[in-house]
């Protein structure tokens, strides 16, 4: 049987229909008019022991709600959810013993205590025997040099150091499954790399199942073999990461600040690109923020230098930025049928 | 799964570390302890002023009130020392940091409350013990073994009453956007607890006996020692009130914890 078994899982929230204005707010006090929001809407998947699964989707897609159900915080509205054969919500304490959780930037270590004391308290909480404790601490030190942080108070750690400690701590009791929610958010490249290698090694050494939610497609690319994309409570894609990497790997967005921007600029930019690359050029043009025009293109079909060259030849451009594709546009492309 | 002894041991380990860390801020510790000590004496000052103009208050002498006050100070100390973290619950709930308390294989109330240990409450406890001993010597109370056992039992129950009232108010955070007024009200109300309930008129006395049973924090149990021959039957319930009320509070806490959905991340 698989470690995590989810079948037709639902989570519905009842939300008050709010009216506008002060008068509306007052009437809301006595209102009985609710609507149901389907935060998680009939999802099913199985996760086997030892997998690293990227669980991704835009904000408000239902990621956190699913994780909260899997960790026993929320009670499902319907369907089956089993972790190691048990329903988490009804067996919270028992399940906590076999899980590790890192929730974004909120540390679970003891704020005022030196790092090593937090680990010692965790040893007591999870009843980790001394031999395993020493072995794990040795491994953490080898991987990320944890020893140098032992005597520091958690409050004095940098965000990156704290994240390393939190991740290490979540593996201390040798859990069967670890949930990592946005483990690299706000960190610089070198710390990100450290964290990724830590996660990868711990997974390989202990065969720990890891469920990773992230906005950083780099994390997903570096760590996961399998990816589950969720949006509006439904699963859009569940499968091999390679098909998805092909999708976002080659795409880039060129952000342009065009001088004398007018309403017709988008139109004429579109025409120029069609003229040069043909009608089916894979480029999409949009204005996502004021003064910036976004051209998203597929590097495999239209190389960056060509696209940029075309733009520069036809428009006066005062600023240029190149960004990797965002989670939102990957999801948009999946919607548009890119993986069908 | 953890046994009761495991929890005691764990609590000891966590608090030792916590106190060690706090002791690094020596000035903070000394000043706040002094503050606590003198603010406890302030109420005694009020009694003293009142009794300068009247010989007794609703049939109670100055020294009897001092006794009740000593009892009260001991009874409110466990709340102060062990459950002080309740004051932070609205921040944790609002900012979503409350989620972490679900992730350990521990009782959540234990885990949550273990994160704070209010050392300065120990001065309050010590002052309470000193006041109670002084008053009982002055009053000539005969401390038989049975009475001492009864005192410990009633103190235990009275402290549960105080803990329950405060925690219940704190639990409002699970349902109310800003629960501070609720908790603040409960905290203010406890200042009525060291006064004889018969100085209040019917509505207040009824409230403090049956609805927010502050009378059971000090006044009713104290009567068992101040005038054991002449107590109302209600007083004999005081050892039970605390346990019943705490059970109710724990149920409300569990309800709150189970209905919490957290913030988005």
């Amino acid at each position: 049987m698989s470690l995590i078994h989810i079948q037709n899982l639902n989570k519905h929230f009842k939300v008050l229909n709010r009216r506008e204005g002060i008068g509306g707010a007052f009437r809301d006090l006595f209102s009985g008019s609710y609507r149901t929001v389907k935060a998680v809407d009939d999802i099913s998947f199985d996760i086997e022991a030892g997998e690293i699964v990227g669980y991704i989707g835009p904000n408000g897609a239902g990621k956190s709600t699913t994780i909260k159900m899997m960790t026993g915080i929320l009670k499902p509205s319907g369907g089956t959810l089993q972790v190691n054969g048990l329903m988490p919500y009804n067996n919270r304490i028992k399940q906590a013993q076999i899980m590790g959780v890192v929730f974004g930037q909120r540390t679970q270590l003891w704020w005022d205590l030196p790092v090593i004391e937090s680990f010692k308290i965790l040893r007591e909480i999870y009843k980790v025997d001394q031999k395993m404790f020493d072995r794990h601490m040795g491994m953490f030190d080898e991987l990320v040099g944890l020893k140098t942080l032992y005597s520091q108070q958690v409050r004095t750690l940098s965000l990156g150091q704290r994240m390393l400690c939190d991740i290490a701590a979540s593996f201390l009791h040798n859990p069967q499954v670890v949930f990592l929610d946005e483990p690299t958010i706000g960190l610089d490249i070198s710390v990100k790399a450290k964290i990724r290698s830590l996660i990868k090694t711990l997974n390989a050494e202990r065969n720990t199942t890891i469920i990773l939610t992230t906005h950083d497609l780099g994390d997903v690319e570096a760590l996961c073999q399998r990816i589950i994309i969720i949006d509006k409570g439904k699963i859009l894609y569940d499968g091999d990461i390679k098909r998805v990497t092909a999708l976002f790997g080659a795409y880039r967005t060129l952000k342009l600040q065009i001088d004398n921007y007018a309403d017709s600029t988008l139109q004429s930019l579109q025409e120029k690109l069609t003229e040069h690359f043909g009608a089916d050029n894979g480029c999409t043009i949009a204005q996502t923020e004021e003064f910036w025009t976004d051209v998203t293109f597929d590097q495999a079909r239209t190389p960056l230098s060509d696209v940029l060259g075309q733009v520069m030849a036809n428009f006066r451009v005062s600023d240029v930025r190149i960004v990797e594709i965002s989670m939102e546009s990957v999801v948009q492309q999946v919607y548009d049928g890119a993986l069908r | 799964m953890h046994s009761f002894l495991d929890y005691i041991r764990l609590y000891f380990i966590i608090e030792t570390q916590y106190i060690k860390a706090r002791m690094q801020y020596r000035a903070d510790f000394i000043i706040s302890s002094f503050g606590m000590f003198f603010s406890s004496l302030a109420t005694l000052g009020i009694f003293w002023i009142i009794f300068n103009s009247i010989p007794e208050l609703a049939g109670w002498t100055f020294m009897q009130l001092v006794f009740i006050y000593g009892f009260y100070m001991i009874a409110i100390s466990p709340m102060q020392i062990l459950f002080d973290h309740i004051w932070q619950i609205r921040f944790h709930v609002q900012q979503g940091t409350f989620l972490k308390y679900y992730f350990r294989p521990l009782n959540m109330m234990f885990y949550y409350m273990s994160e704070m240990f209010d050392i300065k409450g120990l001065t309050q406890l010590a002052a309470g013990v000193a006041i109670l001993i002084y008053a009982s010597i002055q009053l000539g109370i005969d401390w038989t073994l049975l009475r001492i056992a009864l005192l410990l039992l009633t103190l235990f129950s009275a402290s549960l009453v105080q803990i329950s009232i405060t925690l219940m108010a704190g639990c409002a955070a699970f349902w109310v956007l800003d629960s501070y007024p609720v908790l603040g009200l409960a905290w203010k109300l406890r200042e009525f607890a060291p006064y004889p309930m018969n100085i209040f008129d019917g509505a207040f006395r009824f409230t403090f006996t049956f609805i927010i049973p502050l009378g059971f924090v000090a006044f009713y149990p104290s009567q068992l020692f101040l005038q054991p021959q002449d107590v109302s039957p209600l007083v004999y319930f005081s050892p039970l009130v605390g346990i019943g009320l705490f059970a109710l509070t724990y149920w409300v806490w569990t309800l709150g914890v189970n209905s919490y959905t957290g913030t988005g991340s």
Side-chain angles (χ1 to χ4, degrees):
Chain A
M1 205 187 124
S2 42
L3 183 65
I4 298 177
H5 173 64
I6 290 181
Q7 184 112 47
N8 306 110
L9 184 68
N10 287 297
K11 180 67 194 178
H12 299 168
F13 290 107
K14 265 172 110 184
V15 183
L16 187 67
N17 282 320
R18 298 206 178 274
R19 279 168 279 213
E20 282 175 32
I22 292 283
F26 191 72
R27 270 182 294 150
D28 280 346
L29 283 176
F30 309 99
S31 164
S33 148
Y34 289 92
R35 77 197 131 89
T36 305
V37 173
K38 295 178 176 175
V40 168
D41 187 10
D42 201 28
I43 63 170
S44 304
F45 56 80
D46 281 88
I47 292 174
E48 304 298 329
E51 277 192 276
I52 306 189
V53 178
Y55 194 57
I56 70 166
N59 289 326
K63 283 178 309 205
S64 286
T65 308
T66 321
I67 301 286
K68 281 175 190 163
M69 286 194 279
M70 289 197 269
T71 49
I73 296 170
L74 291 182
K75 187 181 183 173
S77 311
T80 313
L81 163 60
Q82 285 179 342
V83 178
N84 202 27
L86 288 175
M87 153 82 169
Y89 185 81
N90 296 335
N91 303 276
R92 190 190 60 82
I93 291 188
K94 208 169 176 183
Q95 294 292 75
Q97 183 72 34
I98 61 152
M99 288 180 186
V101 185
V102 177
F103 238 73
Q105 300 179 336
R106 300 154 184 166
T107 184
Q108 289 168 50
L109 303 174
W110 282 260
W111 195 242
D112 292 310
L113 306 189
V115 171
I116 186 68
E117 298 302 339
S118 277
F119 280 89
K120 283 184 184 165
I121 293 174
L122 290 175
R123 179 183 69 194
E124 296 295 329
I125 291 179
Y126 291 98
K127 298 183 175 169
V128 179
D129 67 53
Q130 190 65 43
K131 229 172 94 193
M132 180 151 109
F133 182 76
D134 291 340
R135 202 176 64 218
H136 280 186
M137 294 307 278
M139 189 161 76
F140 299 151
D141 184 48
E142 217 169 90
L143 290 172
V144 288
L146 204 66
K147 251 190 194 124
T148 54
L149 304 176
Y150 278 4
S151 61
Q152 277 199 50
Q153 276 188 320
V154 173
R155 62 159 79 240
T156 65
L157 297 177
S158 71
L159 180 60
Q161 289 170 327
R162 214 168 68 203
M163 212 60 220
L164 286 169
C165 290
D166 259 304
I167 292 173
S170 72
F171 280 88
L172 182 72
H173 57 289
N174 202 15
Q176 295 189 25
V177 53
V178 171
F179 297 91
L180 300 171
D181 187 51
E182 302 286 357
T184 62
I185 198 165
L187 301 177
D188 62 46
I189 304 282
S190 71
V191 182
K192 266 186 193 180
K194 252 188 181 174
I195 284 181
R196 286 171 188 166
S197 83
L198 175 67
I199 295 171
K200 209 163 186 135
T201 316
L202 289 171
N203 164 262
E205 290 262 332
R206 322 264 8 153
N207 199 37
T208 313
T209 306
I210 293 172
I211 307 209
L212 175 75
T213 66
T214 182
H215 262 78
D216 189 326
L217 289 168
D219 286 346
V220 180
E221 222 175 343
L223 292 169
C224 309
Q225 298 96 28
R226 176 180 167 195
I227 186 170
I228 299 175
I229 304 177
I230 180 171
D231 189 41
K232 297 186 180 129
K234 287 191 177 296
I235 289 177
L236 284 187
Y237 176 77
D238 177 358
D240 198 312
I241 178 86
K242 289 200 189 86
R243 293 185 61 198
V244 185
T245 1
L247 201 63
F248 63 75
Y251 277 88
R252 294 288 180 275
T253 298
L254 191 59
K255 286 172 118 28
L256 305 160
Q257 227 172 33
I258 297 173
D259 280 357
N260 306 321
Y261 181 87
D263 290 342
S264 61
T265 312
L266 285 186
Q267 179 73 31
S268 68
L269 184 60
Q270 182 78 65
E271 280 165 13
K272 293 285 177 213
L273 290 174
T274 311
E275 197 177 293
H276 192 81
F277 298 111
D280 183 30
N281 53 30
C283 300
T284 47
I285 299 171
Q287 204 198 10
T288 50
E289 53 185 313
E290 213 181 346
F291 306 124
W292 289 95
T293 306
D294 294 1
V295 182
T296 304
F297 59 97
D298 183 356
Q299 286 233 73
R301 280 194 276 176
T302 52
L304 170 65
S305 53
D306 293 3
V307 177
L308 194 58
Q310 273 307 303
V311 174
M312 297 304 242
N314 295 294
F315 299 91
R316 275 181 60 96
V317 174
S318 56
D319 202 355
V320 169
R321 278 193 313 201
I322 297 162
V323 290
E324 302 214 342
I325 196 159
S326 70
M327 183 70 69
E328 282 71 17
S329 33
V330 170
V331 170
Q332 189 55 48
Q333 291 189 38
V334 175
Y335 263 125
D336 294 347
L339 290 176
R340 255 174 238 141
Chain B
M1 291 296 145
H2 294 268
S3 68
F4 183 68
L5 279 178
D6 283 341
Y7 275 112
I8 302 267
R9 191 177 125 80
L10 198 53
Y11 194 76
F12 186 76
I13 291 169
I14 296 172
E15 287 352 297
T16 319
Q17 287 305 325
Y18 181 80
I19 292 169
K20 237 196 251 171
R22 281 280 122 185
M23 284 298 187
Q24 291 171 355
Y25 307 94
R26 209 174 305 158
D28 173 77
F29 169 67
I30 292 171
I31 293 169
S32 61
S33 294
F34 265 102
M36 197 77 178
F37 186 73
F38 285 110
S39 72
S40 350
L41 294 186
T43 309
L44 277 186
I46 296 174
F47 288 171
W48 189 75
I49 293 167
I50 295 173
F51 280 91
N52 258 335
S53 39
I54 50 167
E56 52 175 44
L57 183 65
W60 300 92
T61 66
F62 174 63
M63 206 40 78
Q64 284 177 321
L65 249 68
V66 174
F67 181 91
I68 297 174
Y69 187 65
F71 191 98
Y72 161 80
M73 275 178 65
I74 299 172
I76 62 172
S77 292
M79 170 62 224
Q80 182 78 41
I81 299 167
L82 308 177
F83 291 83
D84 205 33
H85 205 200
I86 193 69
W87 287 93
Q88 262 71 47
I89 197 162
R90 63 201 174 106
F91 301 117
H92 286 299
V93 165
Q94 271 172 25
Q95 290 162 16
T97 41
F98 192 73
L99 285 180
K100 77 169 189 180
Y101 300 103
Y102 291 81
F103 300 145
R104 303 273 181 235
L106 294 173
N107 175 284
M108 282 181 68
M109 187 186 268
F110 170 86
Y111 180 26
Y112 182 77
M113 296 303 170
S114 74
E115 280 204 344
M116 204 169 263
F117 184 89
D118 190 34
I119 312 164
K120 66 180 188 295
L122 291 172
T123 21
Q124 178 178 278
L125 181 64
V129 171
I131 291 170
L132 193 79
I133 290 173
Y134 172 76
S136 60
I137 291 171
Q138 293 292 314
L139 291 166
I141 293 174
D142 177 23
W143 287 112
T144 60
L145 224 55
L146 183 71
R147 280 235 174 97
I148 292 176
L150 197 59
L151 177 73
L152 293 177
L153 180 67
T154 47
L155 274 173
F156 175 72
S157 169
S159 60
L160 281 181
V161 173
Q162 170 63 18
I163 289 166
S164 302
I165 293 173
T166 320
L167 292 199
M168 192 102 77
C171 282
F174 290 116
W175 296 281
V176 182
L177 215 49
D178 182 7
S179 66
Y180 183 76
V182 186
L183 195 51
L185 177 70
W187 200 244
K188 272 275 159 214
L189 279 178
R190 99 192 160 137
E191 287 169 13
F192 288 109
Y195 290 93
M197 288 296 130
N198 55 344
I199 67 169
F200 301 116
D201 76 5
F204 276 104
R205 204 188 311 166
F206 182 82
T207 307
F208 292 156
T209 305
F210 297 106
I211 299 177
I212 310 169
L214 285 166
F216 290 95
V217 173
F219 177 69
Y220 292 127
S222 298
Q223 287 192 19
L224 286 170
F225 310 98
L226 294 176
Q227 27 176 246
Q229 65 286 10
D230 178 32
V231 291
S232 76
L234 207 59
V235 173
Y236 290 106
F237 281 105
S238 61
L240 295 176
V241 172
I243 294 162
L245 205 58
F246 187 75
L248 181 68
T249 305
Y250 190 77
W251 179 72
V252 172
W253 162 272
T254 308
L255 225 59
V257 159
N258 286 346
S259 68
Y260 183 60
T261 57
T263 53
S265 57

